[in-house]
């Protein structure tokens, strides 16, 4: 019986793929982060990489690829070899917001395979101490009486802080000028310096500065007070019950990544997130760990993509 060279090559390729999957991982894994150091996205990656490395038995390194409202990082991982060694730390506003903000992107949701939801975080309406107002309603009154006098920072065009603040302006009937930055770190630096007055962002970026008094917080945008900021009211308590803003961070692989690799990753991510030291570090950072498996994360992306497309269109938000 003769066997064609093509069949032999195919059989060898399949055997090689199976061996690679069985041996996964056998080298370092890279987590590509679409933001610079600082903020909830980078912090989420750093909560995961060390415990995941212990579970997997291989180094897990972080590569911050900021720029292009996340599109630099997303495009890089979308084009990466689908072998489980280059993964995306995905930020909700980029993943579900960018498709509604840009006519063309170097990636699409179909380019990624969901692995696991990692974290969620409320946001803080934070301001430089020079901004008038002792509470949210006094702050809004000042904005209405002084349109254009206050600038607000965002993590970049199309980020959650951009979209969320525009929705805040719409719902409060106020006006502030948008100043985009490349991530939370430089935005916080300028708010602390008083170069920009307001930043609606996740707790890790501003929590220590609120506690120290270098910034003041008018409200948190979730349904519950933040445990590390117990004296800061929710937006509902502060008089804006319809305004809610939460961010999530998830782990994704290139779309053609073998199912066995994704299954190994999601199981080990769950183990890493359940470690007591991981939970302690998350609590200290003001981030909520919230694991979801691949199918549930995929459903979340679909639901939120539709919601944000509708919200962005209704609010008339456009990328600068």
């Amino acid at each position: 019986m003769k066997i064609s060279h093509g069949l032999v090559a195919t059989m060898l390729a399949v055997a090689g793929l199976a061996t690679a999957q069985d041996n996964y991982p056998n080298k370092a894994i890279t987590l590509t982060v679409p933001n610079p150091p600082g903020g909830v996205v980078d912090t989420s990656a750093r909560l995961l990489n060390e415990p995941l490395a212990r579970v997997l038995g291989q180094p897990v390194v972080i590569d911050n690829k900021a720029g292009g409202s996340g599109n630099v990082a997303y495009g890089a991982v979308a084009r990466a070899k689908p072998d489980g060694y280059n993964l995306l730390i995905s930020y909700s506003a980029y993943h579900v917001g960018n498709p509604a903000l840009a006519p063309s992107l170097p990636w699409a949701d179909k380019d990624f395979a969901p692995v696991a939801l990692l974290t969620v975080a409320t946001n803080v309406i934070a301001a430089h101490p020079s901004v008038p107002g002792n509470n949210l309603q006094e702050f809004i009154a000042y904005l209405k009486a002084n349109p254009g006098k206050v600038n607000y920072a965002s993590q970049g065009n199309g980020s959650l802080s951009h979209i969320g603040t525009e929705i805040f302006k719409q719902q409060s009937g106020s006006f502030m000028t948008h100043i985009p930055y490349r991530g939370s770190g430089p935005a916080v630096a300028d708010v602390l310096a008083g170069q920009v007055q307001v930043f609606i962002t996740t707790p890790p970026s501003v929590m220590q500065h609120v506690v120290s008094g270098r910034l003041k917080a008018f409200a948190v945008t979730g349904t519950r007070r933040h445990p590390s900021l117990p004296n800061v009211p929710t937006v509902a308590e502060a008089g804006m019950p319809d305004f809610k803003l939460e961010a999530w961070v998830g782990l994704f692989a290139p779309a053609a990544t073998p199912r066995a690799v994704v299954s190994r990753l999601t199981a080990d991510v769950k183990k890493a997130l359940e470690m007591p030291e991981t939970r302690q570090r998350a609590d200290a950072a003001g981030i909520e760990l919230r694991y979801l498996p691949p199918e549930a994360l995929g459903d979340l992306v679909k639901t939120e993509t539709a919601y944000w497309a509708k919200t962005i269109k209704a609010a008339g938000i456009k990328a600068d």
Side-chain angles (χ1 to χ4, degrees):
M1 178 180 178
K2 291 185 178 181
I3 301 177
S4 71
H5 292 297
L7 179 58
V8 170
T10 300
M11 291 171 66
L12 289 173
V14 170
L17 179 60
T19 300
Q21 292 177 31
D22 291 341
N23 293 336
Y24 177 85
N26 57 24
K27 61 181 180 179
I29 293 170
T30 297
L31 303 181
T32 300
V33 180
N35 292 58
V40 68
V41 184
D42 179 72
T43 302
S44 296
R46 295 178 193 278
L47 285 172
L48 177 67
N49 72 312
E50 290 183 7
L52 182 60
R54 293 201 295 273
V55 176
L56 290 170
Q58 292 291 343
V60 178
V61 299
I62 292 173
D63 181 15
N64 294 92
K65 285 186 181 295
S69 295
N71 293 320
V72 172
Y74 282 69
V77 177
R79 297 187 299 270
K81 186 177 180 181
D83 56 6
Y85 291 99
N86 198 331
L87 308 174
L88 176 68
I89 296 290
S90 182
Y91 171 43
S92 56
Y94 293 156
H95 205 125
V96 303
N98 281 8
L101 288 164
S104 62
L105 295 170
W107 60 275
D109 181 53
K110 64 180 178 59
D111 295 327
F112 302 106
V115 176
L117 181 68
L118 305 176
T119 63
V120 295
T122 186
N123 283 255
V124 182
I125 303 175
H128 189 268
S130 63
V131 174
N134 295 314
N135 55 55
L136 185 61
Q137 292 306 314
E138 290 180 3
F139 170 57
I140 291 172
Y142 175 78
L143 293 178
K144 290 180 176 179
N146 298 273
K149 282 193 175 182
V150 174
N151 297 331
Y152 80 87
S154 81
Q155 297 152 337
N157 292 325
S159 65
L160 190 70
S161 54
H162 177 201
I163 297 169
T165 309
E166 289 297 316
I167 295 172
F168 171 82
K169 287 164 55 179
Q170 292 271 341
Q171 291 190 8
S172 65
S174 61
F175 180 79
M176 294 182 283
T177 302
H178 178 213
I179 308 295
Y181 289 82
R182 293 183 64 182
S184 296
V188 171
D190 271 9
V191 177
L192 287 169
Q195 300 296 320
V196 181
Q197 292 75 45
V198 176
F199 191 20
I200 299 180
T201 188
T202 48
S205 301
V206 296
M207 191 165 59
Q208 61 177 322
H209 305 303
V210 171
V211 172
S212 70
R214 296 186 66 194
L215 295 176
K216 60 183 177 181
F218 292 117
V220 294
T221 62
T223 57
R224 295 177 294 179
R225 292 194 181 200
H226 194 279
S228 297
L229 299 169
N231 295 323
V232 179
T234 66
V235 281
E237 292 171 331
M240 284 190 70
D242 294 330
F243 182 62
K244 181 183 175 184
L245 193 65
E246 282 190 328
W248 55 258
V249 177
L251 184 67
F252 291 78
T257 301
R259 184 173 298 179
V261 171
V262 172
S263 296
R264 169 73 190 275
L265 279 169
T266 195
D268 286 351
V269 165
K270 187 173 187 290
K271 293 176 184 176
L273 295 180
E274 289 175 344
M275 290 182 177
E277 58 266 39
T278 308
R279 294 195 173 277
Q280 291 169 5
R281 292 171 59 213
D283 290 344
I287 295 176
E288 179 186 345
L289 300 176
R290 189 184 298 175
Y291 170 82
L292 285 179
E295 184 176 351
L297 176 56
D299 290 342
L300 176 66
V301 169
K302 290 177 184 176
T303 300
E304 292 218 339
T305 298
Y307 169 77
W308 281 106
K310 181 180 178 180
T311 300
I312 289 168
K313 182 178 180 180
I317 300 169
K318 298 184 183 299
D320 293 345

